[in-house]
Amino acid sequence: MKIQNPKSKLQRSSKNQKTNATDTLRYQVGSETVLFLNDAPVENGSTDHPFDLEERTARFGEAVIRFCKKVPVGPGNNRLIGQLVGCSTSIGANYCEANEGVSKKDFKNTIGRCVKEAKETKFFLRMMATSEPELAEEARQLYREAKELHLIFASIFRKSS
């Protein structure tokens, strides 16, 4: 996997970022089928991954999509499913857009949307856990990740002034 060079000032200052790591993404398609994307070996057998917020937000969005496929379709859940998928995948999309920002003001505005989408994701995960108690534990795990992303983006937003 090619790790992109940092585009924002905040990414450039990150001490945890590595530039030559590879990664393998596994996708469970059915009970027996597994797809691999970017099927390259990790260097030296290390399990360390670079600090890549774009990748983290993409994986979070994918996890929420897989979660929503488990939710039974019905009048009470259809709206929750649509809202949850929309706001959780928007976090990563807005972050990608922020990295391409043409100005500092544009960057801050787009990161602010990431903060809002992460907070909205937390809300809809809470509603989903209430709607489907048998999926509550998985919703709680996703909620924890949404909370971490919210805190990360809120910190970036505050520091981008």
Side-chain angles (χ1 to χ4, degrees), residues 53-71:
L53 206 45
E54 282 187 29
E55 182 65 24
R56 184 173 177 177
T57 56
R59 286 184 184 214
F60 175 68
E62 293 163 354
V64 170
I65 291 169
R66 285 190 296 276
F67 169 75
C68 286
K69 287 184 176 183
K70 296 176 188 176
V71 177

Side-chain angles (χ1 to χ4, degrees), residues 28-153:
Q28 188 78 27
V29 177
S31 60
E32 300 172 10
T33 310
V34 176
L35 297 177
F36 292 93
L37 298 179
N38 299 326
D39 193 16
V42 177
E43 294 177 11
N44 302 327
S46 171
T47 58
D48 293 340
H49 296 301
F51 177 75
D52 186 356
L53 206 45
E54 282 187 29
E55 182 65 24
R56 184 173 177 177
T57 56
R59 286 184 184 214
F60 175 68
E62 293 163 354
V64 170
I65 291 169
R66 285 190 296 276
F67 169 75
C68 286
K69 287 184 176 183
K70 296 176 188 176
V71 177
V73 176
N77 290 341
N78 289 345
R79 179 75 173 168
L80 292 175
I81 292 168
Q83 289 282 13
L84 182 55
V85 170
C87 60
S88 64
T89 55
S90 290
I91 299 170
N94 284 317
Y95 181 67
C96 291
E97 184 181 338
N99 280 339
E100 300 299 324
V102 293
S103 67
K104 193 172 184 178
K105 185 177 179 182
D106 184 35
F107 176 81
K108 185 173 181 173
N109 181 42
T110 313
I111 288 295
R113 276 189 271 144
C114 293
V115 174
K116 291 177 182 180
E117 296 291 348
K119 192 167 186 173
E120 186 177 342
T121 300
K122 291 184 341 184
F123 175 81
F124 283 111
L125 283 166
R126 180 179 172 187
M127 296 300 108
M128 191 65 77
T130 302
S131 175
E132 296 298 324
E134 64 277 359
L135 296 173
E137 184 54 39
E138 190 174 352
R140 281 186 197 99
Q141 292 172 359
L142 292 169
Y143 184 92
R144 285 185 211 109
E145 178 65 7
K147 182 178 179 179
E148 286 183 24
L149 290 171
H150 178 251
L151 293 172
I152 290 168
F153 286 117

